[in-house]
Amino acid sequence: MTKIERMKELGELLKNASKAYYQEDREIMDNFEYDRLYDELEALEKETGIVLGGSPTVSVGYEAVDELPKERHETPMLSLDKTKDVEELAAFAGTHEVLLSWKLDGLTVVLTYEDGQLLKAVTRGNGEIGEVITNNAKVFRNVPLSIPHKGEVILRGEAVIRYSDFEKINAEIADEAAKYKNPRNLCSGSVRQLNNEITAGRNVYFYAFALVRAEGADFENSREKQFLWLKNQGFDVVEYKKVTGKQIAEAVREFSGAVSDNDLPSDGLVGTYDDIAYGQSLGRTAKFPRDSYAFKWQDELRETCLTEIEWSPSRTGLINPVAVFEPVELEGTTVSRASVHNISILKGLKLGIGDRITVYKANMIIPQIAENLTKSGNVKIPDTCPVCKGPAKVQKVNDVESLYCINPDCQAKKIKAFTLFVSRDAMNIDGLSEMTLEKFIGCGYVHEYADLFHLNRYKDAIIEMEGFGEKSYQKLEDSIQKARHTTLPRVIYSLGIPNIGVANAKILCKEYACDLDRLRNATAEELSQIPGVGGVIGASIEEYFTDKEHNRWLDDLIKELDLYVEEVMDESWLTLDGKVFVITGSLTKFSNRNELKNLIESKGGKVTGSVTSKTSFLINNDTMSSSSKNKKAKELGIEIISEQDFLDRFAQEKEGV
């Protein structure tokens, strides 16, 4: 195992231990072991000169900006010429050695380091001008914040979100229409956030694919040696094979066979001459550099017959067309359905029942219709919702036509909306699956959100339902009663306002000091000025709260709830505002670290897991301990205080403890 691999392993071990201790109130590692591993990581960082992003030894901190500033690239970032023909790629290579690597499908980012520190990160943008995303790059999962090389370093790479993380994030979104279409779209939105706390939660990774400059370094005219050097600086480098033209076909087959098991989204391969001088001597065209060539997967097309268009409603009223066709084998799996996304695409394809169509898997993963060979155009767009039979209407938004159910009482809308309402990050009511909600709505037990808190009116009938009984009913009732005690951010998220996620809901409630009336009456223009919100979200909120029915439902709901504020908003209480604490060792005055952490945060302070120059106080009952945290605090001149010291100086009233 290399030193960098050990650093990554130690980082994960320490982060998992901190998460268990601070967030889940459980110990998976004792203090001695934690300090030993922490010291080992710190020593390796000093030895290598590398500090990886997210390292427990540093605290980057979250930061929001009003806008992403623009910056012109020092040299234009050109697109690559491309082919789907393996022989053409082999001809490009010829007798020269070529590095053949994944063409990752994310967002290209340029990183600049000076004096060993990450100075800035800029997106590709239009190739000439990109957006500065330095704060966001600092919370990518694997970007080094510092590297051993002290000369200027500029490199390019792809920011990506793995399929496994993409699926987890989508699984938490109840509304089908609100789910992200692919990892690239999710990554693009995550990288370009105004609030990097949102970026941090998305698990963005960075894979270097080109070194632009490394002041004072000699690579002996080899791209591969540049890659190896980047690895030694702490970067993850895109996977590659070194081949000549004769080996291209076999290498492409190997990459193709690995696509289905690759957790990183890719849309092909890139070949680049290993000989730097030779590649540069070829110059470039007006559009493309001549030292690299992109290979796009030759899509496996299958002809089949369109048998049906299904219309799938969502909680927002959007009704998505889904093409159903005779099953075909694609990339090793049987496929019989593909989303058509909207009415504009359906019309453009001129789809008709019985048409002969060709289908493929985009990036060898997602089923799509490639072409309609018949183009009968006989699909009739319904004027009623397939669920409630109420009126459906085609509406045009940003030049895209989509079908919407306009019946406010549509059962499909209600089921999807209630599913989100009871979900874990919303009201967190266990025992109410989508199927159960469908039964309750169908029986007339539930018409609006507040009705869920009065299901006891139908206790006898519910107990008799299939899948229920006295025990499961009581479990549901307990969960409902527990859900009454909640926070405003959870309530706002649970309403299903378009474009409002968990993080946005927290930002909004913090901005308005958990004052619901102020939030309800805010204008789109006012809301759009909040960092991390913007115009689209602002318009969604204003539109939602101008609806009388939405407000009536919310008023009825609030009557059922016991809202509490997680951090006290009275500024006179915020005696720890601006102070940063680290807690270590065993506690005697508080039942666990979370209890002390919550008190500190309620008073405006911040608790981090490691001692840095930004730390105000280290809380440790053993103030004379020789632990690594105590040593670090003493080195930095940070005061070490006991629990009693903390209580005497900052929390005499110690409410709730």
Side-chain angles (χ1 to χ4, degrees):
M1 182 182 292
T2 66
K3 291 176 182 177
I4 293 174
E5 287 171 339
R6 177 58 176 165
M7 287 162 64
K8 289 178 180 178
E9 181 180 54
L10 288 168
E12 286 302 311
L13 287 170
L14 292 168
K15 280 186 279 188
N16 289 338
S18 292
K19 181 181 178 184
Y21 197 93
Y22 289 110
Q23 297 176 26
E24 299 168 2
D25 198 19
R26 62 190 182 92
E27 254 189 52
I28 60 175
M29 184 184 297
D30 62 33
N31 286 341
F32 179 83
E33 180 67 4
Y34 184 95
D35 287 344
R36 185 183 69 79
L37 297 179
Y38 185 97
D39 289 345
E40 182 185 350
L41 175 59
E42 198 170 41
L44 282 170
E45 288 176 344
K46 286 179 181 175
E47 181 183 346
T48 62
I50 297 168
V51 179
L52 298 171
S55 171
T57 66
V58 296
S59 177
V60 174
Y62 296 129
E63 190 171 341
V65 295
D66 295 326
E67 62 177 7
L68 295 174
K70 304 285 195 299
E71 182 170 301
R72 184 173 293 276
H73 295 296
E74 188 176 316
T75 56
M77 297 185 65
L78 303 178
S79 301
L80 298 182
D81 201 0
K82 52 185 173 290
T83 181
K84 290 188 175 184
D85 187 338
V86 175
E87 291 184 5
E88 193 174 335
L89 183 64
F92 161 79
T95 59
H96 298 278
E97 289 186 322
V98 166
L99 303 185
L100 190 64
S101 62
W102 291 114
K103 184 175 181 294
L104 296 178
D105 195 17
L107 194 71
T108 300
V109 174
V110 184
L111 301 181
T112 300
Y113 290 77
E114 282 189 5
D115 196 29
Q117 302 300 311
L118 177 60
L119 177 68
K120 65 181 175 182
V122 184
T123 66
R124 180 184 185 278
N126 63 7
E128 297 281 344
I129 297 173
E131 292 175 307
V132 180
I133 53 143
T134 311
N135 289 337
N136 296 345
K138 286 179 178 178
V139 296
F140 289 178
R141 289 296 301 272
N142 62 339
V143 163
L145 303 180
S146 63
I147 59 176
H149 188 76
K150 301 308 177 188
E152 183 185 41
V153 175
I154 302 175
L155 67 149
R156 296 171 180 172
E158 199 78 356
V160 295
I161 289 179
R162 298 176 176 184
Y163 278 117
S164 52
D165 290 318
F166 167 73
E167 288 162 4
K168 285 177 188 173
I169 291 168
N170 258 354
E172 294 176 358
I173 301 173
D175 183 7
E176 283 296 322
K179 291 180 186 288
Y180 294 95
K181 302 301 180 191
N182 54 58
R184 188 190 187 284
N185 287 355
L186 174 58
C187 183
S188 179
S190 302
V191 168
R192 299 174 62 252
Q193 286 288 332
L194 295 178
N195 185 335
N196 70 345
E197 186 170 5
I198 298 172
T199 307
R202 299 281 177 82
N203 286 352
V204 179
Y205 287 82
F206 176 87
Y207 291 88
F209 61 66
L211 179 62
V212 179
R213 180 183 303 129
E215 186 181 12
D218 180 15
F219 305 106
E220 301 173 18
N221 196 39
S222 169
R223 293 279 182 198
E224 183 175 31
K225 289 189 176 179
Q226 287 184 337
F227 275 13
L228 296 173
W229 183 85
L230 284 168
K231 284 184 178 181
N232 287 331
Q233 296 295 310
F235 296 97
D236 285 329
V237 173
V238 65
E239 181 187 344
Y240 68 91
K241 298 178 187 293
K242 192 174 182 180
V243 295
T244 63
K246 288 182 180 179
Q247 301 163 315
I248 285 283
E250 177 59 28
V252 169
R253 276 194 294 273
E254 289 177 7
F255 273 111
S256 299
V259 167
S260 59
D261 296 323
N262 188 14
D263 203 19
L264 298 175
S266 69
D267 56 357
L269 304 171
V270 174
T272 302
Y273 292 120
D274 182 52
D275 187 324
I276 298 172
Y278 174 73
Q280 291 178 343
S281 72
L282 299 175
R284 69 185 203 190
T285 68
K287 286 186 174 181
F288 312 117
R290 289 196 172 104
D291 67 344
S292 299
Y293 215 70
F295 173 80
K296 303 282 282 186
W297 303 120
Q298 183 71 51
D299 296 316
E300 185 179 351
L301 290 174
R302 289 287 182 269
E303 186 177 324
T304 184
C305 178
L306 183 68
T307 59
E308 184 184 354
I309 293 289
E310 284 185 0
W311 299 92
S312 176
S314 73
R315 67 176 171 82
T316 61
L318 179 66
I319 304 174
N320 292 305
V322 179
V324 182
F325 43 82
E326 291 177 356
V328 291
E329 287 289 317
L330 277 177
E331 312 293 353
T333 61
T334 302
V335 178
S336 61
R337 300 163 63 84
S339 175
V340 187
H341 301 301
N342 55 55
I343 301 301
S344 292
I345 294 174
L346 182 133
K347 287 181 176 178
L349 289 167
K350 296 181 181 177
L351 291 178
I353 306 305
D355 283 356
R356 300 299 298 176
I357 60 174
T358 56
V359 294
Y360 70 105
K361 280 187 176 179
N363 293 353
M364 303 174 75
I365 300 290
I366 304 166
Q368 301 281 321
I369 296 175
E371 188 180 4
N372 183 2
L373 305 175
T374 312
K375 296 183 178 177
S376 69
N378 66 31
V379 169
K380 185 180 177 183
I381 299 170
D383 55 11
T384 59
C385 171
V387 174
C388 71
K389 309 306 178 188
K393 185 179 179 181
V394 175
Q395 298 177 359
K396 197 169 189 178
V397 180
N398 296 329
D399 294 325
V400 175
E401 289 186 311
S402 299
L403 184 65
Y404 291 87
C405 171
I406 55 177
N407 173 18
D409 297 318
C410 175
Q411 189 180 36
K413 282 186 186 179
K414 283 188 175 182
I415 293 167
K416 299 290 185 184
F418 278 97
T419 301
L420 172 67
F421 181 81
V422 303
S423 64
R424 184 185 61 190
D425 290 328
M427 300 304 291
N428 194 23
I429 303 177
D430 287 332
L432 284 176
S433 65
E434 187 169 322
M435 188 179 297
T436 301
L437 285 165
E438 187 174 357
K439 288 179 184 177
F440 289 176
I441 292 169
C443 291
Y445 301 163
V446 177
H447 300 278
E448 58 176 284
Y449 297 137
D451 293 337
L452 288 170
F453 296 91
H454 297 286
L455 286 174
N456 53 5
R457 297 169 181 166
Y458 311 101
K459 176 180 177 180
D460 294 341
I462 291 172
I463 289 173
E464 295 301 317
M465 281 184 172
E466 185 179 350
F468 268 90
E470 186 75 43
K471 208 170 186 178
S472 54
Y473 168 80
Q474 193 54 53
K475 189 176 178 182
L476 171 60
E477 182 61 23
D478 291 344
S479 183
I480 289 170
Q481 295 309 316
K482 185 179 178 182
R484 289 181 184 274
H485 188 59
T486 190
T487 64
L488 189 60
R490 281 182 173 271
V491 174
I492 296 300
Y493 172 64
S494 76
L495 299 177
I497 303 171
N499 305 305
I500 298 296
V502 176
N504 301 125
K506 289 180 178 178
I507 290 170
L508 288 163
C509 292
K510 184 175 182 180
E511 177 70 20
Y512 290 100
C514 285
D515 187 328
L516 180 57
D517 288 335
R518 283 181 62 203
L519 177 56
R520 278 205 234 200
N521 294 311
T523 64
E525 184 179 0
E526 178 188 334
L527 291 158
S528 68
Q529 302 305 310
I530 301 170
V533 176
V536 173
I537 293 174
S540 291
I541 297 164
E542 183 181 64
E543 184 179 349
Y544 184 89
F545 286 121
T546 54
D547 186 297
K548 289 182 179 179
E549 191 69 0
H550 288 160
N551 282 292
R552 186 181 68 78
W553 276 35
L554 181 53
D555 287 336
D556 291 346
L557 172 62
I558 293 297
K559 292 173 187 174
E560 302 296 332
L561 303 178
D562 169 27
L563 292 179
Y564 69 94
V565 180
E566 287 181 306
E567 66 179 276
V568 178
M569 298 297 172
D570 177 5
E571 290 188 5
S572 65
W573 172 260
L574 301 180
T575 55
L576 300 182
D577 190 23
K579 292 183 172 62
V580 179
F581 292 82
V582 174
I583 307 167
T584 191
S586 58
L587 301 177
T588 57
K589 307 291 183 181
F590 295 82
S591 58
N592 54 52
R593 290 187 191 178
N594 267 341
E595 193 174 0
L596 175 52
K597 177 175 180 281
N598 291 339
L599 177 60
I600 291 170
E601 290 179 344
S602 75
K603 288 173 162 286
K606 182 178 179 182
V607 176
T608 63
S610 56
V611 178
T612 71
S613 58
K614 294 181 180 178
T615 304
S616 307
F617 297 93
L618 171 63
I619 300 176
N620 186 353
N621 283 328
D622 186 358
T623 56
M624 304 306 292
S625 164
S626 59
S627 70
S628 62
K629 287 189 174 68
N630 276 32
K631 286 179 186 175
K632 184 80 171 180
K634 289 173 183 175
E635 286 173 13
L636 296 172
I638 292 162
E639 188 176 357
I640 304 170
I641 61 174
S642 67
E643 273 179 284
Q644 192 59 55
D645 293 333
F646 170 81
L647 293 173
D648 291 343
R649 291 168 63 173
F650 302 117
Q652 292 88 345
E653 59 277 13
K654 200 167 80 75
E655 292 188 6
V657 177

